[in-house]
């Protein structure tokens, strides 16, 4: 049965496109739960859990964590949620993850509402990520260990190879909403809002 209150938004876009920040605001203003798989994995690493110890080298190398791990994490997160009101940030990242999510959402009677795709040129992306690393350091905070130019380039490559095919997956289903991701945070947010159902 489909619950009218359900809402499922999936943010797509390359690393450094600003998905996390925009998803955070959209979640707050629309009463949705943001599910960021990068944050969940980093939290495991910070707490030194068994999972965290296992995935740390993968994050540090800019590689993807195996699909089965991510799918189990998401299944747990969604279990018992009613209504299902979520924004995914950083998931799905592979076709296998997208197909698993489709099945999970069907079981829950919560179809995809929209898939904003944040478009940002490659060179801007690397600059933003390296800046983010530097700014954290300047504030005396620990930068994300994968926010270096070398790992950022690797993450872009992984995005092109493994995640870009999802543009076709959601495009074919009529869910994709391309958004120009260059501009101020507010401008980009307004463009995203304009695509929401
Ligand atoms: P960004 O999009 O800025 O690169 P994220 O915080 O979304 O950063 O992800 C950081 C890292 O966490 C990825 O490079 C990858 O190693 C891991 N990761 C996050 N989400 C997934 C996912 N859905 N599948 C596989 N690995 C993931």
């Amino acid at each position: 049965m489909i619950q009218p209150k359900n809402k499922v938004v999936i943010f797509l876009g390359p690393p450094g496109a600003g998905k996390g920040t925009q998803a955070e605001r959209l979640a707050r203003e629309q009463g949705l739960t943001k599910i960021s798989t990068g944050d969940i994995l980093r939290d495991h690493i910070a707490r030194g859990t068994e999972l965290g110890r296992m995935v740390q080298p993968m994050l540090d190398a800019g590689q993807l964590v195996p699909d089965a791990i991510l799918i189990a994490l998401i299944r747990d997160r969604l279990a018992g949620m009613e209504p299902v009101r979520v924004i995914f940030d950083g998931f799905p990242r592979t076709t296998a993850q997208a197909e698993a999510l489709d099945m999970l959402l069907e079981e829950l009677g919560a179809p995809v509402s929209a898939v904003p795709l944040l478009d940002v040129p490659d060179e801007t992306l690397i600059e933003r990520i390296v800046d983010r690393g530097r700014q954290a350091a300047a504030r005396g905070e620990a930068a994300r260990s994968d926010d270096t130019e070398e790992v950022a380039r690797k993450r872009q490559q992984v995005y092109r190879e493994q995640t870009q095919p999802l543009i076709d997956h959601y495009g074919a289903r009529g869910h994709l909403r391309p958004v120009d991701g260059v501009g101020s945070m507010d401008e980009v947010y307004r463009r995203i809002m304009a695509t929401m159902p």
Side-chain angles (χ1 to χ4, degrees), residues 13-20 36-42 45 55-67 70-71 74 89-94 97 129 132 144 146-147 151-152 155-156 158-159 163:
K19 294 188 299 290
S36 160
T37 45
D39 288 348
I40 296 172
L41 296 172
R42 281 187 290 275
I45 292 173
V55 302
Q56 176 152 36
M58 303 171 194
L59 269 80
D60 284 347
Q63 287 164 355
L64 294 187
V65 170
D67 289 332
L70 271 299
I71 293 166
I74 296 298
D89 162 28
F91 181 90
R93 251 182 166 88
T94 63
Q97 291 179 18
I129 291 179
R132 182 166 73 185
R144 266 175 57 173
D146 58 350
D147 276 353
V151 180
R155 280 152 60 203
Q156 307 295 349
V158 169
Y159 175 78
T163 309

Side-chain angles (χ1 to χ4, degrees), residues 61-94:
Q63 287 164 355
L64 294 187
V65 170
D67 289 332
I69 294 180
L70 271 299
I71 293 166
L73 275 176
I74 296 298
R75 180 177 285 279
D76 275 4
R77 270 300 164 107
L78 295 179
M81 199 186 260
E82 214 190 306
V84 181
R85 294 181 60 78
V86 290
I87 295 188
F88 289 103
D89 162 28
F91 181 90
R93 251 182 166 88
T94 63

Side-chain angles (χ1 to χ4, degrees), residues 91-108:
F91 181 90
R93 251 182 166 88
T94 63
T95 305
Q97 291 179 18
E99 285 168 355
L101 181 62
D102 285 343
M103 275 166 47
L104 213 57
L105 292 176
E106 196 176 319
E107 281 168 31
L108 294 168

